[in-house]
Amino acid sequence: MSGLVQYVLVRGDLKATWPLGAIIAQACHACTAVIYQFRNDEHVVNYTTDMDNMHKCVLEIKSEEQLKNLSEKLKENGIDHKLWVEQPENYPTCLAVKPYPKSEVKQYFKKYKLLQ
């Protein structure tokens, strides 16, 4: 599994109105969904084989617009991910990228800071 990382981006603007637990739940939903969606992918299989050594990086993105824009950029570049849209509100809250070697995807996330 060496070098595999899963990036998770969470909307920072939600911190003003959502409880912390609800925000964490959104990230958990996105991570679970992307792992299941790509469960047969070689990187996902390797990542989940050594569960005690998973590496995630949870970053903050400022707004819904920025989150949607990042999702489009990832799609355009063939980076598999799940944009989590809370239902029934149809409200995008976060996205999780399937596990990738860090060197393949870090350029998309270097401008974001850790979620605080």
Side-chain angles (χ1 to χ4, degrees), residues 24-86:
I24 293 171
Q26 299 301 299
C28 291
H29 293 325
C31 288
T32 303
V34 79
I35 290 289
Y36 184 77
Q37 184 177 356
F38 296 101
R39 64 191 172 276
N40 296 318
D41 177 87
E42 178 183 0
H43 294 317
V44 173
V45 170
N46 291 336
Y47 185 78
T48 56
T49 297
D50 188 8
M51 289 194 190
D52 290 333
N53 292 298
M54 292 179 173
H55 183 114
K56 285 185 177 46
C57 191
V58 182
L59 305 173
E60 181 174 336
I61 195 161
K62 300 287 183 199
S63 67
E64 179 178 346
E65 179 182 1
Q66 287 184 7
L67 185 67
K68 288 178 178 178
N69 290 342
L70 177 61
S71 180
E72 284 303 313
K73 181 177 181 178
L74 295 173
K75 280 182 200 169
E76 290 168 5
N77 288 280
I79 305 300
D80 294 328
H81 67 285
K82 174 65 177 173
L83 175 63
W84 187 257
V85 180
E86 183 64 10

Side-chain angles (χ1 to χ4, degrees), residues 76-108:
E76 290 168 5
N77 288 280
I79 305 300
D80 294 328
H81 67 285
K82 174 65 177 173
L83 175 63
W84 187 257
V85 180
E86 183 64 10
Q87 297 298 331
E89 298 87 356
N90 203 35
Y91 196 64
T93 57
C94 63
L95 70 75
V97 175
K98 80 170 188 189
Y100 276 97
K102 186 175 184 177
S103 61
E104 289 182 23
V105 294
K106 68 182 178 182
Q107 76 246 25
Y108 300 104

Side-chain angles (χ1 to χ4, degrees), residues 10-28:
V10 179
R11 283 181 44 198
D13 61 329
L14 297 178
K15 295 186 293 184
T17 55
W18 286 42
L20 179 59
I23 294 170
I24 293 171
Q26 299 301 299
C28 291

